[in-house]
Amino acid sequence: MNELYAAPMEGLTGWRWRQVHRQIFGGADLYFTPFLSPNANCNFQTKEKEEIDPVLNEGLPLVPQILTNQPEYFLWAAEECRRRGYFHVNLNLGCPSGTVTGKKKGSGLLREEPLLRALLDGIFAGLPGEMQVSVKTRTGWDNDENWPRLLELFGDYPIARLIVHPRLRTQFYKGEADRVLFEWTAGHTALPLCYNGDLTTPEELYAMSARYPDCPLMVGRGLMADPALLRRAKGGPAATVEELHSFHDRLYGLYRRDFSGDVPVLHHMREMWNHLSQPFQDTDELLRRVRKARSCHEYEQAVEIFFAFAQLK
């Protein structure tokens, strides 16, 4: 089996999730943080500092992801990561959010090639020698006609690994990832690749490992729905209801401990349930109670009922 990476997902795969995932399900070969967004103030937000705090990430193989279109901001953030003991950082060219792309960041840079080249020029001219940079990218904005040119552009730089999510920005997460285009990509670049997109079962991971034996596989939504997916791909057992209950309770407990008030706690848990509910069958009514809870007390009661009666598919 190839190396298996946990994709960065804003609001979902923060340090609390990473801790609990590793404790219960054995972890990923690499975890990527949700993006850090440096700016002219040269200061991270508190939650960003936590994401790269070595104590909060002890024992986790972690790659900080950086979102910017300014090389000086990237280099400042990379140095902050290096000071904390991280020698591999990732550039985000994949985020499709309108608030990000409207600022010519994330996948917005894929239609701004002069700005993208200036960013990469500045990064690799100023990066300390011991630091590595990988790039996570989509294959274009609204069509893939420019992908060969973008791939050629990437090939001009010593990118440690090009993580390709073969979707367009305009697709967001709809439709199927274009594995035919990834196949073409693998035959037209010397850069080390990683594949990301629609990997939801062990069988898909086996097939991609056989097809691209030297290519790590990055899993996002599939891992949110099945926290044991990477364990299963390595020959381990599927998640039990008891494990999923424990996974939920530990994560919920950290949110309750660290967040102020019920609203932010419930917001994070509802985001998680959008994915974690998928392995269960015939749970619409049980899940409706969980989602409609307006206080942590109501939520806890609904969750206990859910896990008492829910059955896995």
Side-chain angles (χ1 to χ4, degrees), residues 277-309:
S277 60
Q278 294 178 31
F280 294 94
Q281 61 182 348
D282 303 325
T283 53
D284 288 351
E285 182 57 35
L286 294 172
L287 193 59
R288 190 175 297 114
R289 295 182 185 182
V290 171
R291 287 176 169 153
K292 288 179 67 176
R294 292 294 176 263
S295 70
C296 285
H297 178 68
E298 287 182 22
Y299 175 81
E300 290 163 12
Q301 291 181 321
V303 166
E304 287 305 308
I305 294 171
F306 180 95
F307 281 112
F309 292 97

Short mmCIF file of all heavy atoms in Angstrom, two decimals, residues 277-309:
data_model
loop_
_atom_site.label_atom_id
_atom_site.label_comp_id
_atom_site.label_asym_id
_atom_site.label_seq_id
_atom_site.Cartn_x
_atom_site.Cartn_y
_atom_site.Cartn_z
N SER A 277 -22.21 10.52 9.51
CA SER A 277 -23.50 9.82 9.44
C SER A 277 -23.55 8.83 8.28
O SER A 277 -24.40 7.92 8.26
CB SER A 277 -24.64 10.83 9.29
OG SER A 277 -24.47 11.58 8.09
N GLN A 278 -22.65 8.96 7.31
CA GLN A 278 -22.77 8.18 6.09
C GLN A 278 -22.62 6.66 6.27
O GLN A 278 -23.27 5.90 5.54
CB GLN A 278 -21.76 8.68 5.05
CG GLN A 278 -22.05 10.09 4.58
CD GLN A 278 -21.02 10.61 3.59
OE1 GLN A 278 -20.45 9.84 2.83
NE2 GLN A 278 -20.78 11.91 3.60
N PRO A 279 -21.79 6.16 7.20
CA PRO A 279 -21.68 4.71 7.33
C PRO A 279 -22.90 4.04 7.96
O PRO A 279 -23.00 2.81 7.96
CB PRO A 279 -20.45 4.52 8.24
CG PRO A 279 -19.75 5.82 8.25
CD PRO A 279 -20.80 6.85 8.03
N PHE A 280 -23.83 4.83 8.51
CA PHE A 280 -24.97 4.26 9.21
C PHE A 280 -26.16 4.14 8.27
O PHE A 280 -26.28 4.87 7.28
CB PHE A 280 -25.34 5.13 10.41
CG PHE A 280 -24.28 5.15 11.48
CD1 PHE A 280 -23.33 6.16 11.50
CD2 PHE A 280 -24.24 4.18 12.46
CE1 PHE A 280 -22.35 6.19 12.48
CE2 PHE A 280 -23.27 4.19 13.44
CZ PHE A 280 -22.32 5.19 13.46
N GLN A 281 -27.08 3.24 8.61
CA GLN A 281 -28.25 2.99 7.77
C GLN A 281 -29.54 3.33 8.51
O GLN A 281 -29.64 3.15 9.72
CB GLN A 281 -28.30 1.53 7.32
CG GLN A 281 -28.39 0.52 8.46
CD GLN A 281 -28.39 -0.90 7.95
OE1 GLN A 281 -28.54 -1.13 6.77
NE2 GLN A 281 -28.22 -1.86 8.86
N ASP A 282 -30.49 3.87 7.76
CA ASP A 282 -31.84 4.11 8.28
C ASP A 282 -31.82 4.93 9.57
O ASP A 282 -32.48 4.58 10.56
CB ASP A 282 -32.58 2.79 8.51
CG ASP A 282 -32.67 1.95 7.24
OD1 ASP A 282 -32.81 2.55 6.16
OD2 ASP A 282 -32.60 0.71 7.35
N THR A 283 -31.07 6.02 9.56
CA THR A 283 -30.93 6.81 10.79
C THR A 283 -31.46 8.24 10.62
O THR A 283 -31.09 9.11 11.40
CB THR A 283 -29.44 6.87 11.21
OG1 THR A 283 -28.66 7.34 10.10
CG2 THR A 283 -28.95 5.51 11.65
N ASP A 284 -32.31 8.47 9.64
CA ASP A 284 -32.77 9.84 9.37
C ASP A 284 -33.41 10.47 10.60
O ASP A 284 -33.11 11.63 10.94
CB ASP A 284 -33.76 9.85 8.21
CG ASP A 284 -33.08 9.60 6.88
OD1 ASP A 284 -31.83 9.57 6.85
OD2 ASP A 284 -33.79 9.42 5.87
N GLU A 285 -34.28 9.75 11.27
CA GLU A 285 -34.97 10.32 12.43
C GLU A 285 -34.01 10.54 13.59
O GLU A 285 -34.04 11.58 14.26
CB GLU A 285 -36.12 9.40 12.86
CG GLU A 285 -36.92 9.93 14.04
CD GLU A 285 -37.53 11.31 13.78
OE1 GLU A 285 -37.92 11.59 12.62
OE2 GLU A 285 -37.58 12.13 14.73
N LEU A 286 -33.13 9.56 13.82
CA LEU A 286 -32.14 9.71 14.89
C LEU A 286 -31.22 10.90 14.61
O LEU A 286 -30.90 11.68 15.51
CB LEU A 286 -31.31 8.43 15.01
CG LEU A 286 -32.03 7.17 15.47
CD1 LEU A 286 -31.11 5.96 15.34
CD2 LEU A 286 -32.51 7.31 16.91
N LEU A 287 -30.80 11.03 13.36
CA LEU A 287 -29.88 12.10 13.01
C LEU A 287 -30.57 13.46 13.05
O LEU A 287 -29.94 14.47 13.39
CB LEU A 287 -29.32 11.84 11.61
CG LEU A 287 -28.11 12.66 11.18
CD1 LEU A 287 -26.94 12.44 12.13
CD2 LEU A 287 -27.69 12.30 9.76
N ARG A 288 -31.86 13.48 12.74
CA ARG A 288 -32.60 14.74 12.79
C ARG A 288 -32.59 15.31 14.20
O ARG A 288 -32.44 16.52 14.40
CB ARG A 288 -34.03 14.52 12.30
CG ARG A 288 -34.83 15.80 12.09
CD ARG A 288 -36.20 15.53 11.50
NE ARG A 288 -36.09 14.94 10.18
CZ ARG A 288 -36.47 13.71 9.87
NH1 ARG A 288 -36.98 12.92 10.81
NH2 ARG A 288 -36.35 13.25 8.65
N ARG A 289 -32.71 14.46 15.18
CA ARG A 289 -32.66 14.92 16.58
C ARG A 289 -31.30 15.51 16.92
O ARG A 289 -31.20 16.52 17.63
CB ARG A 289 -32.97 13.76 17.52
CG ARG A 289 -34.38 13.20 17.40
CD ARG A 289 -34.58 12.08 18.42
NE ARG A 289 -35.87 11.44 18.27
CZ ARG A 289 -36.31 10.46 19.06
NH1 ARG A 289 -35.54 10.02 20.04
NH2 ARG A 289 -37.49 9.92 18.86
N VAL A 290 -30.25 14.87 16.41
CA VAL A 290 -28.90 15.36 16.67
C VAL A 290 -28.72 16.74 16.06
O VAL A 290 -28.21 17.67 16.70
CB VAL A 290 -27.86 14.37 16.09
CG1 VAL A 290 -26.46 14.98 16.14
CG2 VAL A 290 -27.89 13.05 16.85
N ARG A 291 -29.17 16.91 14.84
CA ARG A 291 -28.96 18.16 14.13
C ARG A 291 -29.85 19.29 14.64
O ARG A 291 -29.50 20.46 14.51
CB ARG A 291 -29.19 17.95 12.63
CG ARG A 291 -28.06 17.15 11.97
CD ARG A 291 -28.35 16.87 10.54
NE ARG A 291 -27.18 16.35 9.84
CZ ARG A 291 -27.21 15.56 8.77
NH1 ARG A 291 -28.39 15.19 8.27
NH2 ARG A 291 -26.10 15.14 8.19
N LYS A 292 -31.00 18.95 15.20
CA LYS A 292 -31.93 19.99 15.67
C LYS A 292 -31.63 20.45 17.09
O LYS A 292 -32.24 21.42 17.55
CB LYS A 292 -33.37 19.44 15.60
CG LYS A 292 -33.91 19.31 14.19
CD LYS A 292 -35.32 18.76 14.17
CE LYS A 292 -36.30 19.74 14.80
NZ LYS A 292 -37.70 19.25 14.70
N ALA A 293 -30.71 19.80 17.77
CA ALA A 293 -30.39 20.17 19.16
C ALA A 293 -29.93 21.62 19.21
O ALA A 293 -29.11 22.06 18.41
CB ALA A 293 -29.32 19.25 19.71
N ARG A 294 -30.47 22.36 20.17
CA ARG A 294 -30.13 23.78 20.31
C ARG A 294 -29.26 24.07 21.53
O ARG A 294 -28.90 25.21 21.79
CB ARG A 294 -31.42 24.61 20.38
CG ARG A 294 -32.19 24.63 19.06
CD ARG A 294 -31.38 25.36 17.99
NE ARG A 294 -32.04 25.33 16.68
CZ ARG A 294 -31.76 24.47 15.71
NH1 ARG A 294 -30.81 23.54 15.93
NH2 ARG A 294 -32.38 24.50 14.56
N SER A 295 -28.94 23.05 22.27
CA SER A 295 -28.04 23.20 23.41
C SER A 295 -27.19 21.94 23.50
O SER A 295 -27.55 20.89 22.96
CB SER A 295 -28.81 23.39 24.71
OG SER A 295 -29.48 22.19 25.08
N CYS A 296 -26.08 22.05 24.20
CA CYS A 296 -25.23 20.87 24.35
C CYS A 296 -25.94 19.78 25.13
O CYS A 296 -25.73 18.59 24.87
CB CYS A 296 -23.91 21.27 25.03
SG CYS A 296 -22.78 22.15 23.91
N HIS A 297 -26.77 20.15 26.08
CA HIS A 297 -27.52 19.15 26.84
C HIS A 297 -28.43 18.36 25.91
O HIS A 297 -28.46 17.12 25.96
CB HIS A 297 -28.33 19.83 27.94
CG HIS A 297 -29.17 18.88 28.74
ND1 HIS A 297 -28.64 17.92 29.57
CD2 HIS A 297 -30.53 18.73 28.80
CE1 HIS A 297 -29.62 17.22 30.13
NE2 HIS A 297 -30.78 17.69 29.67
N GLU A 298 -29.21 19.06 25.08
CA GLU A 298 -30.08 18.38 24.11
C GLU A 298 -29.26 17.52 23.15
O GLU A 298 -29.65 16.39 22.81
CB GLU A 298 -30.88 19.40 23.30
CG GLU A 298 -31.99 20.09 24.05
CD GLU A 298 -32.74 21.05 23.14
OE1 GLU A 298 -32.68 20.88 21.89
OE2 GLU A 298 -33.38 21.98 23.66
N TYR A 299 -28.15 18.07 22.73
CA TYR A 299 -27.29 17.35 21.78
C TYR A 299 -26.78 16.05 22.38
O TYR A 299 -26.82 14.99 21.73
CB TYR A 299 -26.13 18.25 21.37
CG TYR A 299 -25.11 17.58 20.48
CD1 TYR A 299 -25.32 17.44 19.12
CD2 TYR A 299 -23.93 17.06 21.02
CE1 TYR A 299 -24.40 16.81 18.31
CE2 TYR A 299 -22.99 16.43 20.21
CZ TYR A 299 -23.24 16.31 18.86
OH TYR A 299 -22.32 15.68 18.06
N GLU A 300 -26.29 16.11 23.61
CA GLU A 300 -25.74 14.91 24.25
C GLU A 300 -26.80 13.82 24.38
O GLU A 300 -26.51 12.64 24.16
CB GLU A 300 -25.17 15.29 25.62
CG GLU A 300 -23.91 16.14 25.54
CD GLU A 300 -23.59 16.84 26.83
OE1 GLU A 300 -24.22 16.50 27.87
OE2 GLU A 300 -22.73 17.75 26.82
N GLN A 301 -28.03 14.20 24.72
CA GLN A 301 -29.10 13.23 24.82
C GLN A 301 -29.38 12.59 23.46
O GLN A 301 -29.55 11.36 23.34
CB GLN A 301 -30.37 13.89 25.36
CG GLN A 301 -30.27 14.30 26.82
CD GLN A 301 -31.56 14.94 27.31
OE1 GLN A 301 -32.22 15.70 26.59
NE2 GLN A 301 -31.94 14.62 28.55
N ALA A 302 -29.42 13.43 22.41
CA ALA A 302 -29.71 12.93 21.06
C ALA A 302 -28.61 11.99 20.57
O ALA A 302 -28.88 10.98 19.92
CB ALA A 302 -29.89 14.10 20.10
N VAL A 303 -27.36 12.32 20.90
CA VAL A 303 -26.24 11.48 20.47
C VAL A 303 -26.28 10.12 21.16
O VAL A 303 -26.01 9.08 20.53
CB VAL A 303 -24.90 12.20 20.73
CG1 VAL A 303 -23.73 11.24 20.62
CG2 VAL A 303 -24.73 13.35 19.75
N GLU A 304 -26.60 10.11 22.45
CA GLU A 304 -26.67 8.83 23.15
C GLU A 304 -27.75 7.94 22.56
O GLU A 304 -27.56 6.72 22.41
CB GLU A 304 -26.94 9.08 24.64
CG GLU A 304 -25.73 9.62 25.40
CD GLU A 304 -24.50 8.76 25.25
OE1 GLU A 304 -24.59 7.53 25.48
OE2 GLU A 304 -23.43 9.29 24.87
N ILE A 305 -28.88 8.52 22.19
CA ILE A 305 -29.95 7.75 21.55
C ILE A 305 -29.48 7.25 20.20
O ILE A 305 -29.74 6.10 19.82
CB ILE A 305 -31.22 8.61 21.42
CG1 ILE A 305 -31.78 8.93 22.81
CG2 ILE A 305 -32.26 7.91 20.57
CD1 ILE A 305 -32.92 9.93 22.80
N PHE A 306 -28.79 8.11 19.46
CA PHE A 306 -28.29 7.72 18.14
C PHE A 306 -27.42 6.48 18.24
O PHE A 306 -27.65 5.48 17.55
CB PHE A 306 -27.51 8.87 17.51
CG PHE A 306 -26.97 8.55 16.14
CD1 PHE A 306 -27.67 8.91 15.01
CD2 PHE A 306 -25.76 7.87 15.97
CE1 PHE A 306 -27.20 8.60 13.74
CE2 PHE A 306 -25.28 7.55 14.71
CZ PHE A 306 -26.00 7.92 13.60
N PHE A 307 -26.41 6.52 19.08
CA PHE A 307 -25.47 5.41 19.15
C PHE A 307 -26.09 4.18 19.81
O PHE A 307 -25.61 3.05 19.59
CB PHE A 307 -24.19 5.83 19.86
CG PHE A 307 -23.26 6.63 19.00
CD1 PHE A 307 -23.02 7.97 19.24
CD2 PHE A 307 -22.62 6.02 17.92
CE1 PHE A 307 -22.14 8.70 18.44
CE2 PHE A 307 -21.75 6.74 17.10
CZ PHE A 307 -21.51 8.09 17.36
N ALA A 308 -27.15 4.35 20.58
CA ALA A 308 -27.82 3.20 21.18
C ALA A 308 -28.59 2.40 20.12
O ALA A 308 -28.73 1.16 20.27
CB ALA A 308 -28.76 3.66 22.28
N PHE A 309 -29.08 3.07 19.09
CA PHE A 309 -29.96 2.40 18.13
C PHE A 309 -29.38 2.31 16.71
O PHE A 309 -29.84 1.50 15.91
CB PHE A 309 -31.31 3.11 18.06
CG PHE A 309 -32.12 2.97 19.32
CD1 PHE A 309 -32.10 3.97 20.29
CD2 PHE A 309 -32.87 1.83 19.55
CE1 PHE A 309 -32.83 3.82 21.46
CE2 PHE A 309 -33.61 1.69 20.72
CZ PHE A 309 -33.59 2.69 21.68
#
